[in-house]
Amino acid sequence: MAVMPPPGGPGLPTRNAESDAFDSGRNLLGVDTANDAIDLVQLDDDTMELNMGPQHPSTHGVLRLVLQLDGEVVRECRPDIGFLHTGFEKSFESHTWQQCIPFTDRMDYLAPLFNNLGFSLAAERLLGIEVPMRAQYLRVIMCELTRVASHFLWYGTSALDLGATTPFVYAWREREKLLDINEVVSGVRMHTSFIRVGGLLADVPDEFYALVNEVVRTFPRFIDEYELLITKNPIFMERTRGLGVLTPDDAIAYGATGPTLRGSGIPYDLRKAQPYSAYDHFDFDVPIGSHGDVYDRYLVRMREARESLRIIGQAMANLPGGPVNTSDRKVALPPRNEINTSMESLIHHFKLVTEGFTVPRGQVYQAVESPRGELGFYIVSDGGNRPYRCKVRAPSFSNLSALPHMVHDELIADVVAVIGSIDITLGDVDR
Amino acid sequence: MPEAVIRVHEEFGEVTVYLQAGHLVRAMKLLRDDSAAQYNQPLFVTAVDWPDREPAEPRFDIVYQLRSMQHNDQCRMIVQVPEDAPRVPTLERVFAGMDWHEREAFDLLGIEFVGHHDLHRILLPEDWVGHPLRKDYVSFGEPVAFTHNLEWALPAAERPRDMPGTTR
Amino acid sequence: MGLSVDAATGLPILNAGADAGAIPLPRVGDLERTAAKAGAITTSIEKVIQWGRYSSLWPALFGLACCAIEMMATGAARYDMSRFGCEVFRASPRQADLMIVAGRVSQKMGPVLRQIYDQMPEPKWVISMGACASSGGMFNNYAIIQGVDKVVPVDVYIPGCPPRPEGLLDAVLKLQTKIAAERPSSLRG
């Protein structure tokens, strides 16, 4: 883009503070700036509008940002979302309760089990049934494994955005081991639909125990390795310290939750505050940051991954026996051998598979602590076999609404770092 | 503020308060600032569509959910608005996070938030017609091809042009 | 070499068998064998061009949803996609020749998809990865385009939700076979 002189000719060059700032450097180079023919002129001070996305390597999905730039400084940032809007909430209204579970997998697709868990817990509250303790423990184990997988994925991709390519391949190599556990348990690597209303898909096979114990034993050392790569790296610290600061009051006002909130110093974690699914049986810490910048959110997530491994270890050590589905035959499928002998079981099976179970009238809000924050399901039932209205409170939606506030007066390259630090999933934002 | 409350409903361990629309902003500010309540974190705004309730009761239930981290509690407020006037005052100046949630409720359900600085569609394209989450909006994709509608099994280029249900 | 020579043309008789006297088929002949012994490969220009094109397919980054995660897993350490030539995922479509549509395409994203496809220079190929890209997947509703082939022409479809990384690798290999069988567009008449 050629720099054009203003209309009417160049005229006399204007000297102002900005053009004088370059003079000291030029003096150093031996230029006599007083008698020089070249002068630096401020042409205009309008802002430039730059469109970032939706196809962009570092927006973590299809996010479009319209940035108003003054040079490299971002004066205003307007996110434009909806490029992944899938109409989940409308689909929920036309599918039976159990049919909704595979849909929930695909919302926050980096941590699918939490969506399953939130929906199942809400439906179970409306039904008034209690899930057996073994199922609750296995839910905790699988969810915490998913949390570790999500944090590793986040670590790899956000380090890749900042230019570090090694963490990506290291973290994803470990993530493959967690996907192997998913596959052993359900047959699918990612969208397992393992947690269902009434319990689980099925009991875990024998290979599960060895794999999970191996994970608990070896992964802390891998997290040490990842921290060794970038935590004390001067470039990383320079790029992330003091950047994208979110004060505690702003974080609360925007509805930010999860590591985005805890990085600002507020020690609120739903697993401790309003425990669900036997989380109160386990002993773990909730890491918090102090400055609310990108670096603190990174540290919070790395420590959270370590705490998750602690929880998994405790759960595996104390895993009770018993069934994994509720005994209420009107909700959970009866075991196959019973169908051959008992007429009632056959009828229950038939009705559950064709029509699904009915949930009494009512409305309930159930939130779980997903790796991104508070994932809530507000479900309204009218007594039928389908949800009447299921609103998903997506953590990434609220966290992303704080983005314009966080990148105000930062550089473009820092926008990428901040987006990485709030860990959004566009499937969660757009639903 | 008892004059704002229409009724209180409790089930499944949760309290739902039905409010009058006119007192909404003051009630929310009170909930946010009062030290005994301190519900300062906005969780979401949405609406539930009950078209069969008209004309006896208003059609839409606008649901607000707030959380208080200091007291580890949450509350739900519902404002009922009729179909011909689906309007409530905006809360984006009370909670900064309500901005996007209100735009989403407008986009998907057609609820108008009076006083919002920039109420336009957030999830669907700007030129979309209709509000998908309303119960009278038929969500169409594509029929699955069985033997009685075999023309759907043809490649897209060979189907008749005027088939119903074709998306744009 | 022990081959008899046709008296009329002076060329060695290769297929002096059942169809001797029929239309001579091009085979690996004497000249090619001699050249191979000297260390040179003889082939046609078309085959070389196509071999170059399919051996270094550069995918354009078009990961949308969950399939994008499996696409990234295919490029990661365990299922290394760069073994098959897809070393670099180019962010700019101008430098890419393969578009892997990985994920569900919403109504708002459709025009963007078409624009990115148009920005890619010829020759270009499209892999539709996953059920949502191929046919709308489980989302038979207002928000998702029911199959990305309504917007761009597709060469290979991959079923799955999401398809395994091996599935994506299989699709890339099938695409390579397809490219090898094509004639280079620049040399077409």
Side-chain angles (χ1 to χ4, degrees):
Chain A
M1 188 175 72
V3 173
M4 304 293 288
L12 284 173
T14 42
R15 303 198 74 98
N16 57 13
E18 275 199 33
S19 53
D20 285 341
F22 286 93
D23 285 348
S24 60
R26 291 166 68 217
N27 279 329
L28 209 68
L29 291 169
V31 176
D32 182 7
T33 51
N35 292 324
D36 202 358
I38 300 174
D39 262 314
L40 295 167
V41 181
Q42 168 105 349
L43 284 176
D44 65 45
D45 51 10
D46 283 346
T47 54
M48 178 177 107
E49 187 168 293
L50 181 71
N51 178 51
M52 200 167 131
Q55 193 255 6
H56 189 274
S58 54
T59 54
H60 294 267
V62 283
L63 169 68
R64 174 174 175 235
L65 293 177
V66 180
L67 302 168
Q68 299 283 354
L69 297 173
D70 178 11
E72 282 240 358
V73 178
V74 174
R75 294 282 177 226
E76 193 193 316
C77 163
R78 275 193 332 263
D80 185 15
I81 59 177
F83 290 94
L84 203 56
H85 178 64
T86 317
F88 277 105
E89 300 179 3
K90 189 78 178 177
S91 294
F92 286 145
E93 293 174 16
S94 56
H95 289 81
T96 67
W97 293 88
Q98 211 68 290
Q99 284 175 338
C100 287
I101 298 283
F103 278 92
T104 55
D105 266 324
R106 278 123 182 114
M107 279 194 302
D108 176 2
Y109 44 79
L110 300 182
L113 277 167
F114 290 94
N115 309 59
N116 290 350
L117 181 65
F119 188 85
S120 299
L121 287 173
E124 283 155 15
R125 274 174 69 187
L126 281 172
L127 282 165
I129 59 176
E130 185 71 26
V131 170
M133 195 51 74
R134 180 174 172 84
Q136 293 189 30
Y137 270 57
L138 280 170
R139 282 178 173 183
V140 167
I141 293 173
M142 291 303 294
C143 281
E144 293 302 318
L145 285 170
T146 311
R147 188 188 306 273
V148 173
S150 172
H151 281 329
F152 279 9
L153 190 152
W154 160 83
Y155 165 81
T157 49
S158 66
L160 188 66
D161 284 346
L162 293 172
T165 46
T166 312
F168 177 75
V169 275
Y170 278 27
W172 284 60
R173 176 192 63 190
E174 260 59 73
R175 188 171 166 267
E176 291 287 333
K177 297 182 184 144
L178 296 167
L179 295 180
D180 282 343
I181 297 179
N182 274 352
E183 201 180 345
V184 152
V185 148
S186 69
V188 190
R189 281 158 55 96
M190 271 173 68
H191 301 310
T192 57
S193 300
F194 185 62
I195 295 177
R196 309 264 169 112
V197 180
L200 301 175
L201 159 67
D203 206 341
V204 291
D206 297 326
E207 299 90 15
F208 177 77
Y209 305 102
L211 284 171
V212 177
N213 285 328
E214 180 78 15
V215 164
V216 172
R217 203 174 49 83
T218 56
F219 270 42
R221 191 181 54 78
F222 285 124
I223 301 184
D224 289 338
E225 201 176 295
Y226 305 154
E227 297 231 4
L228 194 68
L229 279 174
I230 60 175
T231 305
K232 294 280 182 257
N233 184 307
I235 303 177
F236 185 75
M237 290 170 76
E238 186 72 30
R239 277 201 76 172
T240 57
R241 292 256 281 259
L243 171 67
V245 175
L246 194 61
T247 58
D249 291 328
D250 280 335
I252 299 178
Y254 277 105
T257 48
T260 311
L261 177 71
R262 290 195 283 277
S264 303
I266 300 178
Y268 194 74
D269 185 327
L270 277 168
R271 296 174 291 170
K272 288 271 197 202
Q274 298 184 346
Y276 50 89
S277 185
Y279 267 104
D280 43 358
H281 293 201
F282 306 113
D283 173 40
F284 60 99
D285 298 321
V286 173
I288 55 173
S290 42
H291 305 288
D293 57 7
V294 172
Y295 192 66
D296 273 359
R297 293 195 276 270
Y298 159 81
L299 290 175
V300 163
R301 286 198 183 93
M302 297 310 277
R303 274 186 238 143
E304 254 184 35
R306 289 185 202 275
E307 295 297 322
S308 288
L309 292 168
R310 271 179 67 190
I311 298 175
I312 300 170
Q314 293 169 38
M316 287 295 287
N318 302 325
L319 188 61
V324 291
N325 271 312
T326 176
S327 50
D328 186 349
R329 288 282 176 262
K330 293 205 172 10
V331 172
L333 288 171
R336 302 293 300 195
N337 51 0
E338 247 183 58
I339 299 177
N340 293 337
T341 51
S342 155
M343 191 60 187
E344 284 158 8
S345 294
L346 184 63
I347 297 175
H348 281 312
H349 182 100
F350 180 74
K351 283 199 74 100
L352 280 174
V353 170
T354 52
E355 188 186 283
F357 51 83
T358 56
V359 173
R361 280 188 82 97
Q363 45 181 313
V364 76
Y365 176 72
Q366 171 68 43
V368 298
E369 182 76 28
S370 89
R372 270 146 210 94
E374 174 176 339
L375 175 63
F377 283 79
Y378 170 65
I379 305 193
V380 178
S381 165
D382 65 340
N385 63 342
R386 303 188 165 144
Y388 188 77
R389 170 91 174 94
C390 175
K391 155 81 183 166
V392 181
R393 192 269 174 193
S396 306
F397 189 75
S398 302
N399 291 352
L400 189 61
S401 66
L403 181 73
H405 180 80
M406 284 196 271
V407 299
H408 189 67
D409 283 349
E410 304 280 3
L411 303 178
I412 304 180
D414 296 334
V415 172
V416 168
V418 175
I419 295 176
S421 82
I422 55 180
D423 195 9
I424 51 171
T425 305
L426 266 298
D428 211 20
V429 171
D430 289 340
R431 279 158 287 127
Chain B
M1 281 180 60
E3 70 274 9
V5 176
I6 301 178
R7 70 173 187 275
V8 177
H9 184 67
E10 193 171 330
E11 60 179 350
F12 304 108
E14 291 179 7
V15 177
T16 308
V17 180
Y18 288 76
L19 289 178
Q20 310 244 16
H23 299 276
L24 179 67
V25 181
R26 279 199 303 133
M28 287 296 185
K29 280 202 183 127
L30 193 68
L31 284 169
R32 183 190 62 177
D33 300 328
D34 183 60
S35 57
Q38 280 192 308
Y39 290 100
N40 49 12
Q41 191 183 40
L43 288 180
F44 62 84
V45 181
T46 188
V48 188
D49 186 14
W50 300 94
D52 302 326
R53 286 201 312 213
E54 293 265 326
E57 269 193 56
R59 177 177 176 180
F60 293 108
D61 268 357
I62 314 232
V63 184
Y64 296 86
Q65 185 99 10
L66 304 172
R67 181 181 289 285
S68 163
M69 282 183 280
Q70 284 84 341
H71 299 286
N72 195 13
D73 195 15
Q74 52 202 6
C75 71
R76 191 181 307 136
M77 307 281 140
I78 293 189
V79 174
Q80 295 184 314
V81 292
E83 176 178 353
D84 45 9
R87 279 185 279 274
V88 269
T90 183
L91 286 182
E92 67 162 353
R93 282 175 277 282
V94 181
F95 302 102
M98 288 292 192
D99 176 7
W100 277 25
H101 285 284
E102 290 181 349
R103 279 179 64 191
E104 185 196 332
F106 165 71
D107 187 4
L108 296 175
L109 283 145
I111 310 292
E112 201 186 305
F113 291 89
V114 177
H116 196 281
H117 73 276
D118 194 17
L119 195 71
H120 61 266
R121 287 189 182 271
I122 188 171
L123 291 179
L124 288 167
E126 293 284 330
D127 54 353
W128 196 269
V129 171
H131 300 283
L133 278 181
R134 292 193 174 189
K135 291 290 178 187
D136 46 9
Y137 187 96
V138 175
S139 172
F140 59 89
E142 225 176 52
V144 180
F146 292 103
T147 43
H148 63 264
N149 56 352
L150 262 181
E151 55 269 10
W152 279 103
L154 293 170
E158 293 169 30
R159 288 180 206 147
R161 281 279 152 246
D162 56 348
M163 278 174 67
T166 39
T167 58
R168 62 181 170 95
Chain C
M1 229 167 279
L3 286 169
S4 53
V5 177
D6 185 12
T9 56
L11 290 170
I13 299 174
L14 298 166
N15 47 354
D19 52 354
I23 302 166
L25 301 168
R27 298 279 173 94
V28 176
D30 212 14
L31 184 61
E32 282 85 352
R33 273 199 219 108
T34 319
K37 283 203 172 129
I41 305 175
T42 54
T43 175
S44 69
I45 287 280
E46 294 175 354
K47 290 210 187 83
V48 170
I49 292 177
Q50 291 303 92
W51 168 78
R53 283 178 178 165
Y54 73 65
S55 301
S56 70
L57 284 168
W58 285 2
L61 267 183
F62 211 77
L64 298 167
C66 349
C67 281
I69 310 297
E70 286 293 59
M71 185 168 71
M72 288 199 267
T74 316
R78 195 188 268 194
Y79 311 95
D80 186 13
M81 202 149 76
S82 64
R83 292 181 282 166
F84 301 99
C86 307
E87 171 72 47
V88 276
F89 279 78
R90 305 306 297 183
S92 163
R94 304 259 182 222
Q95 300 163 2
D97 50 9
L98 169 66
M99 185 161 78
I100 306 180
V101 184
R104 46 194 189 253
V105 183
S106 73
Q107 300 284 355
K108 205 166 172 183
M109 194 65 190
V112 178
L113 170 67
R114 183 72 213 184
Q115 190 177 6
I116 301 284
Y117 178 76
D118 289 336
Q119 283 177 345
M120 285 166 65
E122 289 276 351
K124 53 192 174 189
W125 298 275
V126 176
I127 291 183
S128 154
M129 177 179 179
C132 296
S134 309
S135 70
M138 60 161 53
F139 304 110
N140 195 3
N141 58 18
Y142 65 91
I144 295 290
I145 294 181
Q146 303 293 305
V148 88
D149 53 2
K150 289 188 168 38
V151 179
V152 294
V154 175
D155 290 290
V156 182
Y157 298 84
I158 317 179
C161 192
R164 285 190 63 104
E166 288 98 331
L168 179 58
L169 291 174
D170 183 45
V172 169
L173 290 173
K174 278 196 166 64
L175 182 65
Q176 288 183 350
T177 327
K178 181 174 178 183
I179 297 174
E182 278 177 353
R183 299 195 58 209
S185 49
S186 45
L187 293 185
R188 276 184 213 134

